Amino acid sequence: MNKGKLYIETYGCQMNFSDSEIVASVLSDDYDVIDKATEADLILINTCSIREHAEQRVLNRLSELNALRKNNSRLQIGIIGCMAERIKEELFKTGSVDLVVGPDAYRSLPTLLKKESRVNINVLLSETETYDDIHPIRYDTNGISAFISIMRGCNNYCSYCVVPYTRGRERSRNPQTIINEALSLFEKGYREVTLLGQNVNSYCCDGVNFARLMKSVAEINPLLRIRFATSHPKDLSDELLEVMSSCSNICKSIHLPAQSGNDRVLKAMNRKYTRRWYLDRIASIRKYMPECSISTDFITGYCDETEEEHQDTLTLMQTVSFDYAYMFKYSEREGTRSANTKADTVPEEVKARRLTEIITLQQELSGKSNLKDVGKTMEVLAEGTSKRSEEHFFGRNSQNKVVVFPRGSCSKGEYVSVRITSCTSATLTGNLIDN
Ligand code: 5AD
Ligand code: SF4
């Protein structure tokens, strides 16, 4: 039997990209993945609900993709992921979807696709599903770097966040299946894995915590680099920092979302730590690994955030001097504690101005951080041809900074020494050094 053609378009976080690889695997008996929507029999859009803007983008894209039905009456279009979970009825009503499937229901995709009904839906959340026996199909890969999901869901209920409602309860995947997956990737030539979870620091399965899991994955081979995302500051343990500092193949880079620099705002956000606690964690990171890069997330204009509270975010940024940050305007999400109990009163233009202020400051900090690297020689994992030219490669250093260099005779997947000669706030540029 000829297989159908599946086109997957993914929005949102790394976890969604990893889930799309699981979906490709679940459907692999019936479909091959292709990279052109116009040639597909089945289009799946893996969606994100974290901010209103993310949902709006998908709805616009959905109406664009619907136009393809004119030339292809057999085309099926499905919405999967967080929006499927959050706004199933609305999606139904658009009349433009054949399938609505939430993040814990991907195993049912083959059966749902064979049903005759007009719209098929499964948005059941699970307390146990980890897809631990599924071998993801890495259909869009550089062959060097891969994601491995180690847990699903979130129990933290930050007041602003929709994730606990769209992805359900937190559960950890069996450690041996994670180690096996990393080993098999290494044997296929991959040189970097990123362990993914909404809050990896609360990973716990069969008596194995996150620090022990990291150590076991790091022991697979010194040539396999390990990264992870995301950490919650309330759970970042010294035990993990010790493991990170003692294994040279665990990358010295931590993403530690702060969200705000003000204690009242942090409490209202239900983040369960204070500014002081956050700074203590930063001090601990620097004690164990002075060379570690630290990146973060901030939400600006949260509910009734005042100007002074906003200033506290700016001073936290200055104090820590983050290497990199993702910054967002607060977007109220229906059903969250913030939406139910607090008015979203910061005017849009004030949110926009505060966002510009933190972005401007972060550009300055990222620039300073990169400037400190000029003159240093560092190990870079070559990932592929740079956008700049065929003669240049790009890769990342342990700190997760992008480094561009003339490729010389180096090949993809090789570790090379690069001396940094110049930088922008986004990229380091350098030359290969003979080892
Ligand atoms: N509005 C704006 N940003 C949000 N984030 C999560 N929920 C919201 C929201 N309602 C941000 C947080 C989180 C990142 C993934 O997205 O900063 O760390
Ligand atoms: Fe959302 Fe907070 Fe969970 Fe992160 S830790 S997914 S911000 S609820």
Side-chain angles (χ1 to χ4, degrees):
M1 191 194 85
N2 272 351
K3 285 193 194 178
K5 293 183 193 142
L6 163 63
Y7 171 76
I8 311 181
E9 200 161 286
T10 307
Y11 293 83
C13 62
Q14 295 168 327
M15 187 68 92
N16 263 11
F17 285 83
S18 170
D19 278 1
S20 290
E21 298 178 336
I22 289 171
V23 167
S25 174
V26 167
L27 286 170
S28 59
D29 283 348
D30 302 324
Y31 291 89
D32 286 322
V33 178
I34 56 164
D35 60 6
K36 283 199 187 65
T38 46
E39 291 168 14
D41 306 304
L42 169 63
I43 295 178
L44 294 177
I45 315 180
N46 195 353
T47 59
C48 170
S49 289
I50 202 118
R51 283 168 290 276
E52 192 182 340
H53 176 70
E55 290 198 343
Q56 204 47 56
R57 257 179 84 199
V58 165
L59 293 174
N60 295 342
R61 182 68 178 138
L62 179 62
S63 55
E64 256 173 54
L65 289 170
N66 250 288
L68 298 176
R69 290 187 200 267
K70 264 194 234 130
N71 298 326
N72 180 357
S73 57
R74 284 180 32 239
L75 176 64
Q76 291 188 293
I77 300 182
I79 297 282
I80 61 175
C82 289
M83 277 173 78
E85 201 62 53
R86 202 185 81 77
I87 55 164
K88 35 207 171 261
E89 272 90 33
E90 270 174 63
L91 292 170
F92 245 47
K93 281 187 214 140
T94 61
S96 44
V97 293
D98 304 286
L99 194 71
V100 178
V101 180
D104 284 347
Y106 296 147
R107 284 183 205 267
S108 66
L109 277 164
T111 323
L112 290 175
L113 281 162
K114 284 175 195 131
K115 280 196 180 167
E116 294 291 314
S117 18
R118 167 66 195 90
V119 182
N120 289 304
I121 175 160
N122 185 351
V123 290
L124 285 178
L125 287 173
S126 156
E127 296 198 350
T128 52
E129 180 63 271
T130 58
Y131 300 110
D132 59 0
D133 56 328
I134 307 255
H135 300 290
I137 292 189
R138 318 239 169 222
Y139 60 86
D140 183 18
T141 176
N142 60 3
I144 305 298
S145 182
F147 296 131
I148 302 183
S149 291
I150 63 161
M151 56 201 298
R152 302 182 71 82
C154 182
N155 285 351
N156 288 313
Y157 288 96
C158 299
S159 316
Y160 51 80
C161 185
V162 78
V163 168
Y165 308 94
T166 59
R167 286 190 162 269
R169 299 284 56 74
E170 182 178 288
R171 65 222 97 118
S172 297
R173 171 179 169 186
N174 175 289
Q176 198 53 51
T177 67
I178 298 169
I179 295 163
N180 293 349
E181 191 173 331
L183 176 61
S184 125
L185 285 164
F186 181 75
E187 285 167 349
K188 288 188 185 119
Y190 284 80
R191 289 296 172 262
E192 181 178 278
V193 293
T194 304
L195 307 188
L196 293 180
Q198 241 68 47
N199 175 15
V200 290
N201 302 103
S202 60
Y203 175 89
C204 185
C205 187
D206 297 345
V208 177
N209 67 9
F210 185 59
R212 279 195 45 205
L213 177 73
M214 283 290 282
K215 197 162 185 347
S216 308
V217 179
E219 279 164 359
I220 289 175
N221 194 298
L223 288 177
L224 182 67
R225 268 185 175 181
I226 327 293
R227 300 186 184 278
F228 61 95
T230 290
S231 293
H232 194 304
K234 76 178 166 60
D235 302 317
L236 182 74
S237 69
D238 283 359
E239 184 192 359
L240 174 68
L241 299 177
E242 209 172 306
V243 167
M244 287 180 75
S245 73
S246 67
C247 299
S248 61
N249 56 335
I250 299 185
C251 290
K252 304 302 180 268
S253 152
I254 295 187
H255 186 64
L256 199 66
Q259 314 298 4
S260 165
N262 175 269
D263 283 345
R264 189 199 68 86
V265 176
L266 287 170
K267 191 158 196 319
M269 287 177 163
N270 194 31
R271 288 292 286 176
K272 303 189 184 92
Y273 56 84
T274 58
R275 176 187 176 106
R276 199 161 161 191
W277 170 274
Y278 188 87
L279 287 171
D280 170 77
R281 294 293 73 214
I282 298 293
S284 210
I285 295 171
R286 300 234 156 103
K287 185 178 94 197
Y288 283 98
M289 296 168 287
E291 76 282 27
C292 189
S293 69
I294 302 173
S295 57
T296 196
D297 294 346
F298 282 112
I299 298 176
T300 192
Y302 173 69
C303 289
D304 50 359
E305 181 192 64
T306 66
E307 211 49 46
E308 291 72 43
E309 290 165 343
H310 165 62
Q311 289 300 323
D312 285 344
T313 291
L314 290 164
T315 60
L316 182 79
M317 292 172 73
Q318 296 270 17
T319 307
V320 177
S321 201
F322 292 103
D323 297 280
Y324 192 81
Y326 297 92
M327 296 155 282
F328 313 99
K329 285 186 280 188
Y330 172 57
S331 164
E332 187 178 78
R333 309 311 288 135
E334 200 187 332
T336 58
R337 198 183 301 174
S338 301
N340 291 341
T341 62
K342 282 176 154 289
D344 177 15
T345 55
V346 178
E348 186 53 32
E349 63 276 14
V350 176
K351 282 184 188 171
R353 193 250 306 147
R354 289 182 189 166
L355 182 65
T356 308
E357 284 177 16
I358 61 173
I359 289 177
T360 308
L361 173 57
Q362 186 52 48
Q363 268 170 352
E364 203 183 292
L365 297 174
S366 299
K368 264 194 209 158
S369 157
N370 282 356
L371 213 51
K372 277 198 228 150
D373 286 333
V374 174
K376 286 187 191 161
T377 298
M378 48 187 64
E379 186 183 71
V380 175
L381 174 60
E383 285 182 50
T385 311
S386 143
K387 273 183 247 152
R388 182 187 294 185
S389 82
E390 282 289 315
E391 277 72 52
H392 285 79
F393 257 14
F394 81 97
R396 275 168 303 143
N397 66 5
S398 173
Q399 284 72 18
N400 210 16
K401 290 186 181 177
V402 174
V403 181
V404 175
F405 53 95
R407 63 186 289 176
S409 59
C410 119
S411 10
K412 231 169 81 165
E414 226 180 277
Y415 289 99
V416 290
S417 287
V418 178
R419 188 186 340 263
I420 306 304
T421 50
S422 65
C423 70
T424 65
S425 65
T427 318
L428 302 175
T429 307
N431 288 316
L432 284 173
I433 302 289
D434 287 335
N435 284 316

Coordinates of all heavy atoms in Angstrom, one line a residue, residues 5-9 31 34 36-46 61-62 64-66 68-69 72 75-80 98-99 113:
K5 N 1.0 11.3 2.4 CA 2.1 12.3 2.7 C 1.6 13.2 3.8 O 0.6 13.8 3.7 CB 2.3 13.1 1.4 CG 2.9 12.2 0.3 CD 3.2 13.1 -0.9 CE 3.5 12.2 -2.1 NZ 3.0 12.7 -3.3
L6 N 2.5 13.3 4.8 CA 2.2 14.1 6.0 C 3.1 15.4 6.0 O 4.3 15.2 5.9 CB 2.4 13.3 7.2 CG 2.5 14.0 8.6 CD1 1.2 14.7 8.9 CD2 2.9 13.0 9.7
Y7 N 2.5 16.5 6.2 CA 3.2 17.7 6.4 C 2.9 18.2 7.8 O 1.7 18.4 8.2 CB 2.8 18.8 5.4 CG 3.4 20.2 5.6 CD1 4.7 20.5 5.3 CD2 2.6 21.2 6.2 CE1 5.2 21.7 5.6 CE2 3.1 22.4 6.4 CZ 4.4 22.7 6.1 OH 4.9 23.9 6.4
I8 N 4.0 18.5 8.6 CA 3.7 19.0 10.0 C 4.3 20.4 10.1 O 5.5 20.6 9.8 CB 4.4 18.1 11.1 CG1 4.1 16.6 10.8 CG2 4.0 18.5 12.5 CD1 4.7 15.6 11.9
E9 N 3.6 21.3 10.7 CA 4.1 22.6 10.9 C 4.0 22.8 12.4 O 3.0 22.6 13.0 CB 3.2 23.6 10.2 CG 3.8 25.0 10.0 CD 3.1 25.8 8.9 OE1 3.3 25.5 7.7 OE2 2.4 26.7 9.3
Y31 N 2.0 7.1 6.9 CA 2.4 8.3 6.3 C 4.0 8.5 6.3 O 4.6 8.2 7.3 CB 1.8 9.6 7.0 CG 0.4 9.7 6.9 CD1 -0.5 9.0 7.8 CD2 -0.2 10.4 5.9 CE1 -1.9 9.2 7.7 CE2 -1.6 10.5 5.8 CZ -2.4 9.9 6.7 OH -3.8 10.0 6.6
I34 N 6.7 14.9 4.6 CA 7.3 15.7 3.5 C 7.4 17.1 3.9 O 6.8 17.5 5.0 CB 6.4 15.6 2.2 CG1 4.9 16.1 2.6 CG2 6.4 14.2 1.7 CD1 4.1 16.4 1.4
K36 N 6.5 19.9 2.0 CA 5.7 20.9 1.3 C 4.2 20.7 1.6 O 3.6 19.6 1.3 CB 5.9 20.7 -0.2 CG 7.2 21.2 -0.7 CD 7.2 21.4 -2.2 CE 8.5 21.8 -2.8 NZ 9.5 20.8 -2.6
A37 N 3.6 21.7 2.1 CA 2.2 21.6 2.5 C 1.3 21.4 1.2 O 0.3 20.7 1.3 CB 1.7 22.9 3.1
T38 N 1.7 21.9 0.1 CA 0.9 21.8 -1.1 C 0.8 20.4 -1.6 O -0.1 20.1 -2.4 CB 1.6 22.7 -2.2 OG1 3.0 22.4 -2.2 CG2 1.3 24.1 -2.0
E39 N 1.7 19.5 -1.2 CA 1.7 18.1 -1.7 C 1.2 17.1 -0.7 O 1.2 15.9 -0.9 CB 3.1 17.7 -2.1 CG 3.6 18.5 -3.4 CD 5.1 18.3 -3.6 OE1 5.7 17.4 -3.0 OE2 5.6 19.1 -4.5
A40 N 0.7 17.7 0.4 CA 0.3 16.8 1.5 C -1.1 16.2 1.4 O -2.0 16.8 0.8 CB 0.4 17.5 2.8
D41 N -1.3 15.0 2.0 CA -2.7 14.4 2.1 C -3.2 14.7 3.5 O -4.4 14.8 3.8 CB -2.6 12.9 2.0 CG -1.9 12.4 0.8 OD1 -2.4 12.8 -0.3 OD2 -0.9 11.7 0.8
L42 N -2.2 14.9 4.4 CA -2.6 15.3 5.8 C -1.7 16.4 6.3 O -0.4 16.3 6.2 CB -2.4 14.0 6.7 CG -2.5 14.2 8.2 CD1 -3.9 14.7 8.6 CD2 -2.2 12.9 9.0
I43 N -2.3 17.5 6.8 CA -1.5 18.6 7.4 C -1.8 18.6 8.9 O -3.0 18.7 9.2 CB -1.8 19.9 6.7 CG1 -1.5 19.9 5.3 CG2 -1.2 21.1 7.5 CD1 -1.8 21.2 4.5
L44 N -0.8 18.6 9.7 CA -1.0 18.7 11.1 C -0.3 20.0 11.6 O 0.9 20.2 11.2 CB -0.4 17.5 11.9 CG -1.1 16.2 11.6 CD1 -0.4 15.0 12.4 CD2 -2.6 16.2 12.0
I45 N -1.0 20.8 12.3 CA -0.4 22.0 12.9 C -0.2 21.8 14.4 O -1.2 21.6 15.1 CB -1.2 23.3 12.6 CG1 -1.7 23.3 11.2 CG2 -0.4 24.5 12.9 CD1 -2.5 24.5 10.8
N46 N 1.0 21.7 14.9 CA 1.3 21.5 16.3 C 1.4 22.9 16.9 O 2.3 23.7 16.6 CB 2.6 20.7 16.5 CG 2.7 20.2 17.9 OD1 1.9 20.5 18.7 ND2 3.7 19.3 18.1
R61 N -2.8 31.1 9.9 CA -2.2 30.1 9.1 C -3.2 29.0 8.7 O -3.2 28.5 7.6 CB -1.0 29.5 9.9 CG -0.2 28.4 9.1 CD 0.6 29.0 8.0 NE 1.3 28.0 7.3 CZ 1.5 27.9 6.0 NH1 0.9 28.7 5.2 NH2 2.2 26.9 5.5
L62 N -4.1 28.7 9.6 CA -5.1 27.6 9.3 C -6.0 28.1 8.1 O -6.3 27.3 7.3 CB -6.0 27.4 10.6 CG -7.1 26.4 10.5 CD1 -6.6 25.0 10.2 CD2 -7.9 26.3 11.8
E64 N -5.1 30.1 5.8 CA -4.3 30.0 4.5 C -4.2 28.5 4.0 O -4.4 28.3 2.8 CB -2.9 30.4 4.9 CG -2.4 31.7 4.5 CD -1.0 32.0 5.1 OE1 -0.1 31.2 4.9 OE2 -0.9 33.0 5.8
L65 N -4.0 27.6 5.0 CA -3.8 26.2 4.6 C -5.1 25.6 4.0 O -5.1 24.8 3.2 CB -3.3 25.4 5.7 CG -1.8 25.6 6.1 CD1 -1.5 25.0 7.4 CD2 -0.9 25.2 5.0
N66 N -6.2 26.1 4.5 CA -7.5 25.7 4.1 C -7.8 25.9 2.6 O -8.5 25.1 2.0 CB -8.6 26.4 4.9 CG -9.3 25.3 5.8 OD1 -10.0 24.5 5.3 ND2 -9.0 25.4 7.1
L68 N -5.8 25.3 0.4 CA -5.3 24.1 -0.4 C -6.3 23.1 -0.7 O -6.1 22.2 -1.6 CB -4.1 23.5 0.4 CG -2.9 24.4 0.6 CD1 -1.9 23.7 1.5 CD2 -2.3 24.8 -0.7
R69 N -7.4 23.1 0.0 CA -8.5 22.1 -0.2 C -9.1 22.2 -1.6 O -9.6 21.3 -2.2 CB -9.6 22.2 0.8 CG -9.2 21.8 2.2 CD -10.4 21.9 3.1 NE -10.1 21.9 4.5 CZ -10.0 20.9 5.3 NH1 -10.2 19.7 4.9 NH2 -9.7 21.1 6.6
N72 N -7.3 20.0 -3.8 CA -7.0 18.6 -3.2 C -8.2 18.3 -2.3 O -8.2 18.5 -1.1 CB -5.7 18.7 -2.4 CG -5.3 17.4 -1.8 OD1 -6.1 16.4 -1.9 ND2 -4.2 17.3 -1.1
L75 N -7.6 16.3 1.0 CA -6.7 16.8 2.1 C -7.4 16.8 3.5 O -8.6 17.3 3.6 CB -6.3 18.3 1.7 CG -5.5 19.0 2.8 CD1 -4.2 18.4 3.0 CD2 -5.3 20.5 2.4
Q76 N -6.7 16.4 4.5 CA -7.2 16.5 5.9 C -6.3 17.4 6.6 O -5.1 17.4 6.5 CB -7.2 15.1 6.5 CG -8.2 14.1 5.9 CD -8.3 12.8 6.8 OE1 -7.3 12.1 6.8 NE2 -9.4 12.6 7.4
I77 N -6.9 18.2 7.5 CA -6.1 19.2 8.3 C -6.4 19.0 9.8 O -7.6 18.9 10.1 CB -6.4 20.6 7.9 CG1 -6.1 20.9 6.4 CG2 -5.6 21.6 8.8 CD1 -6.3 22.3 5.9
G78 N -5.4 18.8 10.6 CA -5.6 18.6 12.0 C -4.9 19.6 12.8 O -3.8 20.1 12.5
I79 N -5.5 20.0 14.0 CA -4.8 20.8 14.9 C -4.4 19.9 16.1 O -5.3 19.2 16.7 CB -5.7 21.9 15.4 CG1 -6.1 22.9 14.3 CG2 -5.1 22.7 16.6 CD1 -5.1 23.9 13.9
I80 N -3.1 19.9 16.4 CA -2.7 19.1 17.6 C -2.0 20.1 18.6 O -1.7 21.2 18.3 CB -1.8 18.0 17.1 CG1 -0.5 18.5 16.4 CG2 -2.5 17.0 16.2 CD1 0.5 17.4 16.1
D98 N -10.3 18.8 10.4 CA -10.9 17.5 10.4 C -10.5 16.7 11.7 O -11.1 15.7 11.9 CB -10.3 16.7 9.2 CG -10.5 17.4 7.9 OD1 -11.6 17.4 7.4 OD2 -9.5 18.0 7.4
L99 N -9.6 17.3 12.4 CA -9.0 16.5 13.5 C -8.5 17.5 14.6 O -7.9 18.5 14.3 CB -7.8 15.8 12.9 CG -7.1 14.7 13.6 CD1 -8.1 13.5 13.6 CD2 -5.8 14.3 12.9
L113 N -7.8 8.9 12.3 CA -7.7 9.2 10.9 C -8.5 8.3 10.0 O -8.8 8.6 8.9 CB -6.2 9.3 10.4 CG -5.5 10.6 10.8 CD1 -4.0 10.5 10.8 CD2 -6.0 11.7 9.9

